[in-house]
Amino acid sequence: MGNQSRIHQSLHVVKRKRSPWVEHDTRTVPLSVVVALREAMKREEVSAGEFDDLLWLIAQESSGEVDARNTHSTARGLFQLLRNQYGLNPNGVKSFGDATEECEGGIRYVMGRYRSARAARMFWEAHHWY
């Protein structure tokens, strides 16, 4: 029985407690990214009413870091698009590094999947991903 107990203990996986999610303040997003988002919204003909929620998504996903890369997945850019979504950028993968084009790709993703930035944000708040 002692041997089985040791085997059971060695198979026991210790789950690490995840630290609680902390909302990122949109005021930490660099001004250059805010300007790029406004330009992308004009190019994509998105209502100015979507701005606050789109900016909020950027703050949560990348903290406003242009060409941000996730070390655990293929997520990349201001909106953390996955590899199969890179084509939503105006110039695909070549758009990374250009804040306005990253915003265009993110807007296309959000509007295509959720129809509004508000709906995307609500989903994100419930699941911490979108």
Side-chain angles (χ1 to χ4, degrees), residues 2-13:
N3 203 18
Q4 274 190 334
S5 179
R6 280 193 300 270
I7 291 170
H8 178 72
Q9 285 176 347
S10 68
L11 294 176
H12 178 70
V13 177

Side-chain angles (χ1 to χ4, degrees), residues 39-86:
E39 176 60 26
M41 290 175 68
K42 286 179 194 171
R43 291 181 186 180
E44 295 298 314
E45 300 179 350
V46 172
S47 164
E50 304 283 354
F51 176 80
D52 288 340
D53 293 318
L54 288 168
L55 184 62
W56 186 90
L57 289 166
I58 288 172
Q60 307 324 301
E61 288 293 318
S62 66
S63 299
E65 180 185 337
V66 177
D67 198 16
R69 295 175 191 235
N70 184 315
T71 57
H72 304 291
S73 76
T74 62
R76 190 170 173 189
L78 291 167
F79 284 85
Q80 290 293 280
L81 299 180
L82 297 174
R83 181 174 288 125
N84 65 346
Q85 299 154 345
Y86 292 175

Side-chain angles (χ1 to χ4, degrees), residues 28-49:
T28 63
V29 174
L31 180 58
S32 59
V33 172
V34 172
V35 170
L37 176 59
R38 290 195 187 279
E39 176 60 26
M41 290 175 68
K42 286 179 194 171
R43 291 181 186 180
E44 295 298 314
E45 300 179 350
V46 172
S47 164

